[in-house]
Amino acid sequence: MVIKNTHNAQVGKLGVICMKGCEEMGRRIDEHLKQWDIDRGGNGRSFLVDYVCPRFATGEAKGMINQSVRGYDLYILCDMFNHEITYKMYGKDTSMSPDDHFQDLKRIIAATNGKTRRLTVIMPMLYEGRQHRRFARESLDCAMALQELQKMNVVNIITFDAHDPRVQNAIPLIGFENLQPTYQMIRSLVTTVKDISIDRNHLMIVSPDEGAMSRCIYYASVMGLDLGMFYKRRDYTRMENGRNPIISHEFLGENLKGKDVIVVDDMIASGESMISITEHLKDLHAGKIYIFASFGLFCEGLDKFDQAYKKGLFERVFTTDLVCPFKELCTREWYTPVDMSKYISYVINVLNYDESLSDLLNSAVRIEKTLAPLRT
């Protein structure tokens, strides 16, 4: 993709704030932006804005920006799910929860004093995105969080692979972009797995449940593959950890015998459901299994995946680096991180020049160019 910016002027002086846990991603984004600035005849200055969020011994905090941001087109990148960031509270190391990260985000927005020209929040995994609808007497946390940001004069919210993008209905008067990492995941697959055959006779897309069908339909369509689906049979007479437990997975689709499979989902949380899916696929005589997940949380550690890999249940797991992978994960031979920094840089650059995101949102042409050599 070529950076043009030939028609529109910048909305304002570009600035990027990378919240705690996003420093490495921010450094790579800044390198892309600096290079494009040089290509346009600029001096290649850094676009990163200096800030701190110091904490008191009680755990209370404040946000401080150490330079002027008056008139800036400011982008704040925040990873709500980086649990490796800690702070001291009453002398004890305390891991930052999503709530802590969200509070720090609001502190930094407040520290701008409303002086920015435009304020955009890039929140790759949407805060409270799984608490997006009400079934009984429940809170609607995601909607409330989005409305809070709107009241703080945020005009654009950029997220990736939202659990349910309809949550944007809570903020109909500001921008909400739900981007997909489809192209980056496919490109990473074909560059990592050299011998993969991408055609209907050798490869199939499988959705782990009905909720993931829309993204799986897109993968199957752009890759020209058949699609299968599991549906979850649940026990609705009891609750475990806030949800009805899964009794079994039932498969709907073509014969899998001898076919390789790509299982696509938005996240890996505990990983139990994903491992169960791979066991069922192997029982159906599937070949090699590759797992795509936009966000790899691995909330209960990596032991289950290590054991499943040793059993031959899957070949490789691909997740984006939008949620920072913890250190142990990056050492696993079965894991491939998918770099999203250049894509985010494109988004920031295009918005800073007030241009359309349409070309970035539609990845079908880029996917076709990537797959064309494998089909000849």
Side-chain angles (χ1 to χ4, degrees):
M1 184 176 294
V2 179
I3 296 296
K4 296 179 180 179
N5 306 132
T6 55
H7 303 294
N8 297 350
Q10 286 180 286
V11 169
K13 189 175 181 180
L14 177 59
V16 179
I17 291 180
C18 299
M19 301 297 292
K20 290 179 182 177
C22 298
E23 293 87 352
E24 173 58 25
M25 171 69 81
R27 183 193 63 77
R28 285 180 276 135
I29 290 172
D30 192 43
E31 288 300 319
H32 291 302
L33 294 174
K34 286 193 294 185
Q35 184 57 55
W36 296 334
D37 184 52
I38 292 171
D39 294 343
R40 287 190 291 259
N43 58 11
R45 69 173 183 87
S46 174
F47 294 97
L48 298 179
V49 173
D50 184 27
Y51 86 98
V52 290
C53 271
R55 287 187 178 266
F56 302 102
T58 58
E60 298 168 290
K62 63 179 179 180
M64 301 171 61
I65 296 178
N66 297 324
Q67 66 183 76
S68 173
V69 290
R70 185 182 296 274
Y72 270 54
D73 186 17
L74 188 62
Y75 296 79
I76 304 179
L77 176 67
C78 47
D79 178 2
M80 298 286 117
F81 298 88
N82 192 326
H83 66 280
E84 293 192 325
I85 306 300
T86 62
Y87 61 91
K88 290 283 187 181
M89 185 168 69
Y90 291 95
K92 298 179 181 178
D93 285 330
T94 304
S95 293
M96 286 188 69
S97 69
D99 291 342
D100 290 321
H101 284 292
F102 188 65
Q103 285 299 116
D104 276 1
L105 169 64
K106 292 192 292 182
R107 291 179 177 114
I108 291 303
I109 293 173
T112 66
N113 293 329
K115 299 300 191 297
T116 59
R117 182 162 297 178
R118 187 170 66 181
L119 187 57
T120 299
V121 168
I122 303 175
M123 189 186 296
M125 185 172 174
L126 199 59
Y127 172 70
E128 291 290 357
R130 286 184 286 180
Q131 189 55 31
H132 63 287
R133 57 183 174 178
R134 176 178 287 154
F135 287 104
R137 292 180 292 277
E138 298 179 338
S139 58
L140 289 171
D141 296 56
C142 189
M144 290 192 297
L146 294 176
Q147 289 177 353
E148 276 191 90
L149 295 179
Q150 180 180 16
K151 291 175 182 177
M152 299 184 79
N153 293 326
V154 174
V155 298
N156 287 311
I157 296 174
I158 310 294
T159 192
F160 285 80
D161 206 353
H163 192 68
D164 188 342
R166 290 174 295 182
V167 75
Q168 67 185 285
N169 293 337
I171 48 167
L173 299 181
I174 69 172
F176 183 96
E177 299 293 345
N178 179 39
L179 309 181
Q180 298 291 336
T182 311
Y183 165 67
Q184 288 79 11
M185 299 290 275
I186 293 173
R187 184 184 61 183
S188 184
L189 173 71
V190 299
T191 55
T192 304
V193 185
K194 302 295 185 181
D195 60 345
I196 193 165
S197 298
I198 300 180
D199 59 69
R200 282 188 168 89
N201 296 323
H202 298 92
L203 188 62
M204 188 175 187
I205 302 292
V206 169
S207 174
D209 54 42
E210 60 276 14
M213 275 299 288
S214 59
R215 68 178 62 87
C216 289
I217 288 171
Y218 186 76
Y219 271 95
S221 299
V222 296
M223 298 179 75
L225 302 176
D226 290 329
L227 175 64
M229 185 194 83
F230 282 93
Y231 72 90
K232 297 174 181 176
R233 293 182 59 205
R234 294 182 180 272
D235 183 355
Y236 289 99
T237 65
R238 58 194 177 96
M239 296 283 287
E240 291 182 2
N241 298 321
R243 59 184 178 178
N244 302 107
I246 299 169
I247 300 173
S248 65
H249 291 89
E250 305 292 340
F251 182 71
L252 302 174
E254 299 291 331
N255 186 358
L256 284 170
K257 187 173 183 180
K259 285 187 179 181
D260 295 339
V261 170
I262 301 174
V263 183
V264 183
D265 208 353
D266 59 340
M267 72 179 74
I268 296 173
S270 68
E272 290 182 1
S273 179
M274 186 63 75
I275 291 173
S276 177
I277 291 294
T278 61
E279 290 173 340
H280 284 290
L281 288 171
K282 287 298 184 180
D283 289 341
L284 294 170
H285 309 291
K288 297 178 180 178
I289 299 173
Y290 304 97
I291 298 171
F292 282 8
S294 299
F295 308 107
L297 303 177
F298 299 95
C299 300
E300 296 182 6
L302 303 174
D303 290 344
K304 296 175 185 175
F305 279 83
D306 288 337
Q307 295 168 11
Y309 179 68
K310 289 178 181 177
K311 293 178 182 177
L313 294 181
F314 67 88
E315 294 295 313
R316 188 160 289 275
V317 175
F318 296 83
T319 75
T320 71
D321 57 358
L322 294 168
V323 170
C324 183
F326 51 97
K327 296 174 183 177
E328 290 82 0
L329 177 60
C330 294
T331 65
R332 297 308 200 261
E333 63 177 325
W334 47 261
Y335 175 68
T336 299
V338 179
D339 183 9
M340 298 297 295
S341 62
K342 194 170 187 178
Y343 190 37
I344 295 177
S345 304
Y346 278 131
V347 171
I348 291 173
N349 182 81
V350 168
L351 290 179
N352 182 230
Y353 280 84
D354 215 19
E355 295 182 348
S356 173
L357 283 175
S358 297
D359 289 342
L360 285 173
L361 296 176
N362 184 10
S363 59
V365 174
R366 282 172 285 153
I367 292 171
E368 181 58 33
K369 289 182 179 178
T370 300
L371 298 179
L374 302 177
R375 293 170 174 162
T376 57

